[in-house]
Amino acid sequence: MDLTFYIALLILLLALWYCRTLRRSPSLGNAKTIPGPKGFGCLKSFIASSRNNNSHELATEWAQQYGDLVQVNILSQKIVYINDSRLARVIFNHPSLKEMTNDRPDTFLSKYVIYGNKNMAFTSRTDQQKVRRKLYHGVVKFYGENVRKFERIFMTSLNKLTREMQSLNEVNFSHEISMATLRVVDALLAGEESNCTKEHLEALENFDTTLSELFYFDMEAVLKPLPFLRFVPGLPFKTKYDALIKARDDLVNAYFHRLKETYIKGQERGVIDHLLTAQSKLEEEGDVESLCDDSVKALLCETTIASFLTTAHTVNTLVLLLILHPELQEKLHSEVKSVIGNETPSLRHRSSMPYTESSIIEALRYASAGPFLLPHSCREDVEMNGYLIEKGAILLANAWYCHRRSDQWEEPWTFKPDRFLDDNGQLLQADHPKRLNLIIFGSGSRSCPGEAFARSRMFLIVVTLIQNFEFFALDNVKLPDVDPRNWESKAVRAPGQFKCGIRPRTEIHLP
């Protein structure tokens, strides 16, 4: 972008900031204003960080300077950074606060990409949104028979990947794990008997790839107040927005229109069919809005996002770390061999594999792939620790900083799976102080509903791969930088793709 554009953008933002300062300054008893940077210097720093896609680094500086709560007034909007995981849990879960702090702010992504207020995860809390969330959870419930169904789907894809890899000496690991994950997403959406084609996988992958180019806080901070930029020729906003809309429409054609044409009530194949059945039932009851076609399309997009990005990138990160630390890879393999042996990996093994579980949790902490998670908004003025959080403020759980605090984590930039094990080598309980310092999947009623599902996916992928293969660095092939501070800022922060060597274990374990 040229200098003229940024000068014009700065002038417009200054005007918005001035208008914001003319609004009322609410009060709540003797509550104090949350500390934070102010004035033109704050705005200038924010614009610079957005231009460089590193607002998480600026937020870290502010957290270190001002404390656990930091407020800034940017782009006519108050933003409150929550820089402590336990404080975030209080703000989003306390009975006196949770009804006011678990809404969603208006976002560019929700309004212009994920079908406006027809979606579930990105829109504000309404009666229709609650109906949508309840129905969706009923469709993808992760308990009982559905656990076995999802496990079967995952293992089918993983066994295919294992067969493909067993004759190879080297592999583009990032690509292969992405394809295996996408095959699972296809089966979830279309059913286990889906005739998955290359075009279907490309539709899933292209949507996630183009989304990651546009959906992150730095882009959102510019496009939300200035949505017209998506139409300005020559700017990257237009190029990325146009690509994302095309990818979204290709996804909808591949998984909504195609499946709806062959849908038969009572013979549901996957998530889309079950949503169409739920839609039909609501329409019979006179509700044609809560789960209209656009809502099903939005849920398709949200399912694709939730099922792919975090899983693929976290496994990618973990295996890269295990390649760089072969002693940790062997320790993990030793547990897999001891507990699973020659059996097919199953979720029933999880409770007996504390080192594997701690490795996955540590990979999630180490990567902190979503620096700010999904934003919350405050419905009313509330008081927290003597400070005023104003109505309409955006609340950001600063996971990037929470997971790096030197006063809470020993060597926070080092990958240490043992940090989540007790003296007996057992996994720390979820309510242990160290575990409470984590806020990987958010908190409150708008936290990620697929946490258990996501961690189960990662477990099955990791143990299947480590059971069957040893991964190692290739001579003269450079691996990506493993330091998260140097990763490219996108929707999900992760190391780049990499190629590595693979060596089959003594036996390949397939059913």
Side-chain angles (χ1 to χ4, degrees):
M1 291 184 231
D2 60 27
L3 182 61
T4 303
F5 166 74
Y6 274 102
I7 293 174
L9 177 61
L10 181 59
I11 293 172
L12 181 56
L13 296 183
L14 282 170
L16 289 171
W17 171 76
Y18 178 72
C19 291
R20 179 75 178 183
T21 64
L22 297 179
R23 298 181 184 180
R24 71 178 183 95
S25 180
S27 61
L28 191 67
N30 296 317
K32 299 175 291 184
T33 300
I34 297 172
K38 295 177 175 60
F40 177 74
C42 170
L43 187 61
K44 182 180 177 182
S45 297
F46 189 88
I47 292 173
S49 70
S50 296
R51 182 181 183 183
N52 297 321
N53 301 337
N54 63 356
S55 59
H56 58 288
E57 295 179 6
L58 180 61
T60 294
E61 294 178 13
W62 287 339
Q64 293 169 340
Q65 182 176 356
Y66 296 102
D68 290 347
L69 282 177
V70 176
Q71 178 173 283
V72 295
N73 192 354
I74 298 292
L75 313 183
S76 77
Q77 174 67 61
K78 281 188 167 58
I79 302 173
V80 176
Y81 295 90
I82 308 169
N83 302 313
D84 180 81
S85 298
R86 300 188 197 192
L87 180 59
R89 285 191 174 85
V90 173
I91 291 174
F92 297 141
N93 290 286
H94 193 278
S96 67
L97 299 174
K98 63 182 182 181
E99 291 302 316
M100 280 85 78
T101 58
N102 280 291
D103 213 344
R104 288 277 189 245
D106 293 332
T107 64
F108 178 88
L109 179 75
S110 175
K111 185 173 183 179
Y112 296 104
V113 180
I114 314 292
Y115 297 94
N117 61 0
K118 305 298 183 182
N119 67 64
M120 176 187 67
F122 300 95
T123 194
S124 58
R125 297 175 69 188
T126 63
D127 290 341
Q128 291 179 350
Q129 185 271 342
K130 292 176 184 177
V131 170
R132 231 170 276 141
R133 184 180 173 95
K134 182 178 180 180
L135 287 172
Y136 184 77
H137 287 184
V139 168
V140 298
K141 54 185 179 295
F142 196 66
Y143 56 83
E145 178 58 33
N146 260 28
V147 173
R148 289 181 284 276
K149 176 182 177 181
F150 289 138
E151 187 174 323
R152 186 169 63 247
I153 290 173
F154 268 101
M155 292 314 299
T156 298
S157 178
L158 289 172
N159 289 336
K160 175 179 173 63
L161 174 63
T162 301
R163 289 188 180 94
E164 293 172 347
M165 290 173 57
Q166 62 182 313
S167 61
L168 302 177
N169 296 318
E170 58 185 58
V171 63
N172 183 332
F173 182 83
S174 308
H175 173 75
E176 294 300 333
I177 205 64
S178 292
M179 289 300 103
T181 306
L182 289 171
R183 285 194 292 268
V184 171
V185 178
D186 173 86
L188 291 174
L189 293 171
E192 294 179 73
E193 303 303 320
S194 168
N195 181 25
C196 181
T197 67
K198 178 182 178 182
E199 289 72 23
H200 298 154
L201 294 180
E202 286 179 350
L204 292 167
E205 184 179 32
N206 288 342
F207 177 70
D208 282 312
T209 300
T210 55
L211 180 83
S212 69
E213 295 285 344
L214 192 67
F215 174 44
Y216 52 93
F217 182 72
D218 308 80
M219 278 286 191
E220 182 70 39
V222 175
L223 287 172
K224 179 190 172 184
L226 307 172
F228 65 85
L229 292 178
R230 73 190 191 279
F231 297 128
V232 179
L235 294 183
F237 306 111
K238 174 176 170 54
T239 303
K240 293 180 178 181
Y241 177 75
D242 289 346
L244 178 54
I245 293 302
K246 181 183 184 304
R248 182 203 66 183
D249 291 345
D250 289 344
L251 176 70
V252 167
N253 287 332
Y255 285 95
F256 176 75
H257 295 299
R258 174 177 67 93
L259 294 174
K260 189 173 183 180
E261 288 178 358
T262 55
Y263 160 73
I264 300 175
K265 188 175 181 179
Q267 299 180 26
E268 292 82 5
R269 298 158 294 186
V271 167
I272 299 302
D273 281 3
H274 284 286
L275 288 173
L276 291 172
T277 296
Q279 179 192 67
S280 176
K281 183 177 179 181
L282 284 177
E283 290 175 349
E284 291 172 2
E285 297 170 352
D287 183 352
V288 297
E289 293 295 329
S290 294
L291 200 59
C292 63
D293 278 1
D294 277 356
S295 289
V296 178
K297 294 173 186 177
L299 290 169
L300 161 62
C301 294
E302 292 173 305
T303 302
T304 304
I305 297 167
S307 299
F308 175 69
L309 285 176
T310 302
T311 298
H313 289 314
T314 300
V315 172
N316 203 46
T317 299
L318 177 55
V319 171
L320 176 61
L321 287 162
L322 294 176
I323 290 171
L324 295 172
H325 300 280
E327 73 283 1
L328 299 183
Q329 183 176 171
E330 286 311 304
K331 188 173 181 179
L332 199 156
H333 175 255
S334 177
E335 182 177 76
V336 171
K337 184 177 180 180
S338 173
V339 176
I340 301 178
N342 296 329
E343 296 180 23
T344 299
S346 168
L347 293 177
R348 62 184 172 81
H349 293 121
R350 281 181 69 186
S351 60
S352 303
M353 302 183 68
Y355 188 76
T356 302
E357 283 287 278
S358 66
S359 297
I360 292 171
I361 294 172
E362 172 66 348
L364 287 163
R365 181 206 69 84
Y366 181 84
S368 295
F372 300 121
L373 309 178
L374 289 182
H376 290 228
S377 67
C378 200
R379 298 171 75 105
E380 301 290 342
D381 294 349
V382 299
E383 183 177 346
M384 170 50 57
N385 291 351
Y387 291 107
L388 170 67
I389 300 178
E390 292 186 28
K391 176 181 178 180
I394 291 177
L395 309 177
L396 295 178
N398 189 356
W400 180 265
Y401 177 72
C402 290
H403 295 159
R404 322 287 186 197
R405 291 182 59 143
S406 58
D407 60 336
Q408 295 182 358
W409 301 98
E410 180 183 347
E411 298 182 76
W413 295 102
T414 301
F415 178 71
K416 299 176 63 175
D418 287 343
R419 72 172 82 243
F420 295 111
L421 300 176
D422 64 18
D423 293 339
N424 297 316
Q426 297 303 305
L427 187 67
L428 299 176
Q429 295 298 312
D431 60 355
H432 188 278
K434 284 187 180 179
R435 295 281 299 273
L436 291 176
N437 288 334
L438 294 167
I439 190 167
I440 296 166
F441 293 94
S443 186
S445 62
R446 302 306 293 268
S447 62
C448 176
E451 176 179 357
F453 189 25
R455 288 180 55 191
S456 296
R457 292 195 301 266
M458 295 174 200
F459 173 83
L460 290 174
I461 294 171
V462 170
V463 296
T464 299
L465 292 175
I466 297 301
Q467 180 190 46
N468 290 292
F469 301 102
E470 176 188 357
F471 298 90
F472 57 92
L474 293 167
D475 293 338
N476 301 319
V477 176
K478 186 178 180 180
L479 291 171
D481 193 329
V482 77
D483 190 332
R485 290 168 288 193
N486 299 326
W487 294 347
E488 187 177 0
S489 286
K490 294 185 178 181
V492 174
R493 295 179 63 82
Q497 293 203 4
F498 64 89
K499 181 183 289 187
C500 67
I502 58 172
R503 187 177 296 118
R505 301 288 180 177
T506 305
E507 298 178 18
I508 296 291
H509 304 287
L510 292 172

